[in-house]
Amino acid sequence: MFLMLLGIMQIAFGWYAFRNPDSDWMRMLARIPEDVEQDDSDLFKSQIVGIIAIFMGVIMILSGLSYYSEKSPLQAFIASLVLGGAGIASGLYALLRPESRWFKRRGEDGEDIEPRIWLMKLAGITMIGISILTMLLSAQHLFV
């Protein structure tokens, strides 16, 4: 249970790092002074770290779910299907609408740059792949 809660906190931190790469908290964690201005490539690197943190949080949640698979295989299978379905839905949304406001930095209204659109499509494809793999591998809980 603790690992799943830690995974949820990791996902929340990753989402915050992705949406607000130039916030005071992110500057403090990266030890960047307030008077230094970051360019788009530095902010892009912070967003990549946020996406990696989100994926690590998902892995933590799945590891926490594996504990419950020993006690109730059907419950673990259903939870993995729900988590995989949510991952596929978010991956499809990122793949089909990479310019959505959900994937932009807070307070940014300008045009999307090509690397950001590429990153969103890559993250969407990766999320769909991991979610499908999660759903397929969760079927093993039914045959235990």
Side-chain angles (χ1 to χ4, degrees):
M1 185 66 150
F2 177 71
L3 192 60
M4 291 180 0
L5 290 175
L6 193 61
I8 291 171
M9 288 178 14
Q10 183 80 13
I11 289 172
F13 172 74
W15 185 252
Y16 181 78
F18 180 76
R19 291 286 305 233
N20 305 312
D22 199 29
S23 68
D24 292 336
W25 285 98
M26 294 305 293
R27 284 179 169 271
M28 181 187 71
L29 291 174
R31 297 183 178 152
I32 299 172
E34 286 186 28
D35 58 345
V36 174
E37 181 149 349
Q38 293 179 316
D39 58 351
D40 281 339
S41 66
D42 294 332
L43 297 175
F44 189 65
K45 289 176 188 175
S46 297
Q47 287 181 315
I48 290 175
V49 169
I51 288 175
I52 291 170
I54 290 170
F55 284 133
M56 293 297 291
V58 169
I59 290 171
M60 286 179 179
I61 289 175
L62 290 175
S63 297
L65 279 175
S66 70
Y67 172 76
Y68 291 108
S69 67
E70 296 173 4
K71 296 182 179 180
S72 173
L74 183 62
Q75 184 179 7
F77 176 69
I78 292 171
S80 295
L81 282 180
V82 168
L83 187 63
I88 288 174
S90 64
L92 280 174
Y93 188 74
L95 188 61
L96 297 176
R97 298 199 40 167
E99 72 281 350
S100 172
R101 69 176 180 90
W102 286 97
F103 304 123
K104 289 186 178 182
R105 289 180 276 213
R106 181 165 286 187
E108 181 183 53
D109 292 330
E111 289 288 322
D112 281 334
I113 56 175
E114 191 63 33
R116 179 190 304 268
I117 292 174
W118 177 82
L119 176 68
M120 288 303 102
K121 289 184 178 183
L122 177 68
I125 290 170
T126 306
M127 189 65 154
I128 291 170
I130 289 173
S131 299
I132 289 173
L133 186 67
T134 299
M135 292 169 71
L136 288 176
L137 291 178
S138 68
Q140 70 182 339
H141 299 300
L142 295 177
F143 303 112
V144 174

